[in-house]
Structures are given as C-alpha cells and as structure tokens.
Amino acid sequence: MTRIVLGIEYDGSAFSGWQFQAERRSIQAALERALAKVANHPVTVICAGRTDAGVHALEQVVHFDTKAERAPYSWVMGGNTHLPDDVRILWAKPAVGDFHARYSAIARFYRYIILNRPVKSALLPTQTTWCYTPLDADRMHRAAQCLIGHHDFSSFRAQGCQSKSPFRQVHFVDVTREGDKVIMDIAANAFLHHMVRNIAGSLIAVGAGKQPADWIRKLLAVKKRALAGITAPPHGLYLGGVFYPECYRLANHPVFAKLPADACRHQD
C-alpha cells in the first residue's frame, strides 16, 4: 500500500462538516467517493483537523492508503473531476516516512474573517461574518496578545468539547484590518472545540467597545465559558494551513514563519 497526501480547499457552507454523517452532506464522504473512482477501490481519508458545519478550508491536509499506482497529477485531476464544485484537491504527493495527517502535525492556523461595514455582502454571505458595528482592529489585536502561550482555555471551550485537557499552546494571534474586513489569524499546537469562534466572539465585543481591552485576560484567568462572549458564526472561519516538520517534505504556509523554533506537537 502507498500513502498519498493531499491538500484540500473547500467551501463548507453547504456541508454538515468534515466528518461523515449518514444522510448528510460531508466533505469526507465527497472526497472518499471521488478518490475511490480514481483508485478503483474504496478509500478512507484521514484529515489534519475536522471542521464543523459551515466552516471552510484554505488548505486542509489529508492522507489515504491505496494499492493503486497513480501519478500525483492523476489524483488531482481525476479526483477533481468527480468532486462537487465546492471541494477541490490542490496538490497530491506520496507520503514520506511515517507521515500521518493528524499525528505528524506540529501546528495549525485558522483565519477568521469579519466583514465590518453597515451593509451585508451579496457576494460573500456565507464566506464572512458580518458585523455592522465599527470594530477597532488594533484594540482587538492588543487584547488578544495575552492568549499567546500555554494556557487553560476553558473560557473559550465549547460545553460539549471532548478533549481530555483544556490546555493548549497558542503561538501567535494577529488581528488586522484590510479595507472593510477585519481578519484574525491564530496558530496553536491544537484547538479545543469552538475555541477559535469563541475567541473571535469575545474579541468582537472588545473591538466594538462593549468590553474593556483587558477583558480577554480576565476571561483567560477565570476559566468559565459562561462569562465569555458569544460563539461567533462559522461562516467567517477557515482552516488556513497545517505545519509539519521538514522531514516530511511538505510546503508550509508562510504564516508559519512566526512559529517558535521549539514548537512541538500537542499531546492530549
């Protein structure tokens, strides 16, 4: 069997999420059906990180094992031929060594995009989160810096989160404004369920002036989800990329240049 690694882009608007669900549309099911037609045998894909309903990916990383011999070009073009328009294979490569899409990952980064203007978008209603209240992106950025480091993120964890530990290592959080969009990029060794959306919801409250700038620090310390902001909608959330050690010979997103040299895999 040969292990193949893929980079996947998708618009999650019309999906129930990454993971297969009976009688519901999932990215995993769509991808497995397409790859099975190219491989001429059933295929099971493993992803770097499952995304929820409505969440998108700029570059999800997956792997699968196959007995079929195909060129990388064939996996890309053949797979895309059988995929719906809202899912695309960006690249394909044979895996190196003991590569595993999930367990070999050192870090992941998510991007949250807020359309900050008085009027909703007619073009991107499910690709951004709309906020009509003016947001101070610089204030949001300053408030978010306390999240960097190894912390208990219980205040930003969904009630149904099944992780054994609330501790995660956040490597960086950047909030910037690009025209009428406010963009948050956050990277960590791993994320709790709804962690990014809960952080985004609280930062929106700070940016809108509804909460003081030091509120995020207080939420981190109090470790109570009920005291934090709302869970921001899924529409603006994107899995931006996954970072792997150089030994696996995969190109990493430029944003990961900000990672510390000693960044290591999360152990749950």
Side-chain angles (χ1 to χ4, degrees), residues 11 17 25 31 35-37 46 58 61 65 88 102-104 107-108 137 208 215 225-226 256 259 262:
D11 179 337
R25 192 170 185 249
L31 187 58
L35 293 172
K37 291 180 180 179
I46 305 296
L58 302 176
V61 177
D65 296 328
R88 278 294 172 265
R102 178 182 176 188
Y103 296 125
S104 298
R108 299 157 180 82
W215 186 52
R225 173 69 191 103
F256 289 122
L259 285 183
D262 60 352

Side-chain angles (χ1 to χ4, degrees), residues 141-163:
H141 176 78
R142 292 193 302 271
Q145 299 315 294
C146 67
L147 300 173
I148 297 173
H150 187 253
H151 301 292
D152 180 332
F153 285 92
S154 292
S155 290
F156 304 102
R157 176 185 191 178
Q159 287 188 339
C161 180
Q162 297 179 354
S163 177

Side-chain angles (χ1 to χ4, degrees), residues 2-5 63 93-100 248:
T2 300
R3 179 159 291 184
I4 304 296
V5 189
H63 79 254
K93 295 182 179 180
V96 174
D98 61 350
F99 177 85
H100 189 285
Y248 295 119

Side-chain angles (χ1 to χ4, degrees), residues 47-48 98-108 150 167-171 188-191 242-245 247-248 259-268:
C47 72
D98 61 350
F99 177 85
H100 189 285
R102 178 182 176 188
Y103 296 125
S104 298
I106 296 296
R108 299 157 180 82
H150 187 253
F167 284 88
R168 294 295 186 271
Q169 177 81 32
V170 170
H171 298 303
N189 59 355
F191 290 90
V242 188
F243 180 82
Y244 295 98
C247 63
Y248 295 119
L259 285 183
D262 60 352
C264 57
R265 188 173 73 84
H266 172 69
Q267 303 286 341
D268 199 348

Side-chain angles (χ1 to χ4, degrees), residues 50-71:
R50 291 176 294 181
T51 51
D52 291 334
V55 177
H56 321 294
L58 302 176
E59 190 178 48
Q60 170 76 270
V61 177
V62 309
H63 79 254
F64 65 95
D65 296 328
T66 178
K67 55 189 176 183
E69 295 183 6
R70 305 281 187 271

